[in-house]
Amino acid sequence: MLKPLQRFEPRTIIREFPRPASEGAFTPNLDSYLDFVIAGAKTQDNSLRDIQDKILDVLGPLCVLHENFTLMQESIENEEIIFDKTTVDAMFGCVKKAIMLVGDTSTQVSSKRREQVLTKLNSVLASLGKEDFPDSSKQLFGDGFEFCLKLRSETANTVADAKKAGKSLFRGTAPQRFHKHF
């Protein structure tokens, strides 16, 4: 069961309650080739990576609490405990929500990190960082990134070409002829 609450130093908590061995609990690394392709990408990424590490450290203690509350909830009919079932269910829901919030926050930080790297590459591509990268695994972008980048670049070039063509078609020659008739 739960140990009595004590005053822990933050480092002690992290060692005593390590993060779970789950893919969602790892801070993604910047793809190794990007540091060579984009000057300063790793330096630019480090600050948000450190924040993400700290956020994910919360998962260790929360998961231990979650496990204990699960055990308490399962054994509530067999043993007498201090909390009634309603209280345990409420606490269980709070812990579950906290875990989900930490995961969501981590996802948002990864998105911000992607935007930051893409802005360094080309500010037009920054919005690509907000898209999902389901194949990223433990990388920030993952395998599908090059395809998405190529597709986005081609779309940007097509729009730019259309913009140039539109300007040359409408140079203002019609209004001059129109004014001569009056």
Side-chain angles (χ1 to χ4, degrees):
M1 284 297 170
L2 284 174
K3 297 177 186 177
L5 291 178
Q6 299 174 14
R7 196 173 189 83
F8 290 110
E9 292 296 318
R11 294 277 182 225
T12 306
I13 292 173
I14 292 168
R15 267 189 260 122
E16 191 168 336
F17 304 110
R19 292 185 205 171
S22 167
E23 202 170 292
F26 289 98
T27 305
N29 293 315
L30 181 65
D31 304 57
S32 58
Y33 68 91
L34 287 176
D35 195 35
F36 298 107
V37 176
I38 306 168
K42 190 170 187 172
T43 305
Q44 188 78 21
D45 181 58
N46 279 341
S47 63
L48 284 175
R49 188 184 194 292
D50 291 343
I51 293 168
Q52 190 171 12
D53 258 338
K54 290 174 182 164
I55 291 168
L56 290 172
D57 283 341
V58 174
L59 286 175
L62 285 176
C63 287
V64 169
L65 276 172
H66 187 269
E67 271 183 54
N68 280 285
F69 285 133
T70 300
L71 291 172
M72 288 170 60
Q73 184 184 31
E74 290 170 355
S75 67
I76 198 161
E77 294 174 16
N78 301 333
E79 282 184 343
E80 185 176 320
I81 58 174
I82 297 171
F83 305 112
D84 61 14
K85 186 161 176 32
T86 307
T87 304
V88 173
D89 287 344
M91 293 168 77
F92 183 74
C94 288
V95 172
K96 186 176 177 180
K97 182 69 173 179
I99 291 170
M100 290 172 21
L101 288 171
V102 169
D104 185 53
T105 302
S106 177
T107 300
Q108 290 175 4
V109 171
S110 288
S111 176
K112 186 69 177 165
R113 289 175 63 202
R114 287 185 193 110
E115 283 181 61
Q116 204 173 41
V117 169
L118 290 167
T119 299
K120 183 86 172 166
L121 177 64
N122 182 345
S123 60
V124 174
L125 301 172
S127 64
L128 181 61
K130 293 179 184 172
E131 294 182 18
D132 288 331
F133 288 85
D135 301 328
S136 63
S137 185
K138 292 183 182 179
Q139 299 295 316
L140 192 57
F141 291 94
D143 296 334
F145 172 65
E146 292 175 44
F147 175 75
C148 289
L149 186 61
K150 181 180 177 187
L151 188 63
R152 181 63 59 95
S153 295
E154 289 172 357
T155 302
N157 288 339
T158 302
V159 169
D161 290 346
K163 203 174 191 181
K164 288 177 191 173
K167 285 181 181 179
S168 64
L169 286 175
F170 303 105
R171 286 215 167 130
T173 54
Q176 290 174 353
R177 281 187 253 142
F178 182 72
H179 289 294
K180 288 181 184 176
H181 293 291
F182 292 102

